[in-house]
Amino acid sequence: MLLALLDLWTVHWELVSRVDTVLLCSLTAALCYLWGRKNQRPLLVCGKNFRDFLEEHCPAVTETFSPTPWCWGGRLQTVLCFLIKSRPHVAYRNERIRTADGGQISLDWEDNDSSAAYPRASTRPTVLILPGLTGNSSQSYVLHAVRQAAAHGYRCVVFNNRGFGGEELLTPLTFCAANTSDLELVVQHVKSLYPQAPVFALGFSLGGMLLLNYLGRKGAESGLVAGLTVSVPWDAFKSAQSMEEALNWLLFNKHLTRGLCRAVLRHRKMLDKVVDIDHVLKARSIREFDERFTAPLFGYESCTEYYRHASPDWKLQSTAVPVLCLNAADDPFSPQYAFPLSVAKDLPNVALVVTSHGGHIAFLEGLFPRGASYMERVFSQFVRAVLEQPQDVHQACGLACN
């Protein structure tokens, strides 16, 4: 009996002392440790009453966020989300509306006429979605947001920036984060079609900058009942600096700049009238592109002046509707040190939710993160809370109910 036990111990010791076994166990332990450190509750910065409302109606903002365990860091989250996230089918109805300068804006609608919760189109809530810098209605994050909203019975309309919705430019003007005239026209158009239906806005990245700038400029006259931003760059200067770090430039900045240059090249015949296209196409970063194209096109003397006007961090105090802002601390586009936490904590209608991980418009969770992620859960809960508890959310934010 004793001899058998000794043999068993010898075999066991030989097994655990093998180099590959030791490495496997060490790796497993390290993964468990790191995943445990990644699984943290988000930082929620807001006033007490708004916090109470969110904890009751949007619990995702205080629950532990468990990012995909094998997806380390904000850069990897951002890249993999673009590569592997699913693209749900959405059958859009396209509409083109004309602008005061003679241009046109492409809107993609998901009318949700089969909505059981809101069978009457006149009162069916509308979710207005603003994509990121080079995005449009076909982006995976937009498609998932549309599906989430439709599941609640809401109607969706995607505001495609000029030149990125498949339409031709009719005037030598595109878009920028500081110019909110096109967004104002779209909101007015939606409200004219459905004056009895509340409008909720969702902005991603640059779309979030545009939304916050609009809310700050219009105040109580925005025509919106609330807004949600995801991965918004709060300070355009600091965002540009972060994006110009070597690895961020290689992975993101270079790619986005090429996308912007391709759009300019596509509309060259129209834009050649106002800018030196050959000079623009030599831009190697977003900042260079903005210096050569965006700033002069919109009348700014320099990129510095444009970035000052485009940054939404100093306009939060002028907003007059409930606003929820979701950011990740490891976002390569929007550095954590630029988040306006001190401003948000003193505002009754603004809440900042900051996760330790999540990257830029990613927030992947689960072992196989192809479907809806944490940001879709936050959006789903918040939009439903706002649209179905309007008096409660306005009371929590100290606002008069429309």
Side-chain angles (χ1 to χ4, degrees), residues 136 161 212 247 249 319 322 327 350 393:
N136 54 37
N161 291 314
L212 291 174
L247 191 52
W249 178 85
T319 60
N327 284 89
V350 177
V393 68

Side-chain angles (χ1 to χ4, degrees), residues 214-224 318-321 399-400 402:
Y214 172 75
L215 291 174
R217 186 171 68 84
K218 297 295 290 184
E221 304 300 319
S222 68
L224 304 174
S318 301
T319 60
V321 298
L399 304 169
N402 296 334

Side-chain angles (χ1 to χ4, degrees), residues 70 77-88 138-145 148 204 230 358 360-365 368-377:
W70 51 267
Q77 278 255 343
T78 304
V79 171
L80 283 178
C81 183
F82 175 79
L83 294 176
I84 70 175
K85 192 158 185 176
S86 63
R87 296 175 179 273
S138 66
Q139 304 302 306
S140 63
Y141 57 82
V142 173
L143 297 173
H144 277 278
Q148 292 283 332
F204 295 93
V230 178
H360 189 73
I361 323 181
F363 301 93
L364 302 178
E365 57 185 354
F368 306 102
R370 283 183 47 78
S373 66
Y374 177 75
M375 66 181 178
E376 280 88 24
R377 286 199 290 123

Side-chain angles (χ1 to χ4, degrees), residues 263-273 277-278 281:
V264 168
L265 191 59
R266 176 173 174 249
H267 302 290
R268 179 168 193 157
K269 184 177 181 181
M270 179 61 67
L271 296 173
D272 240 340
K273 303 173 182 178
I277 298 298
D278 291 331
L281 296 179

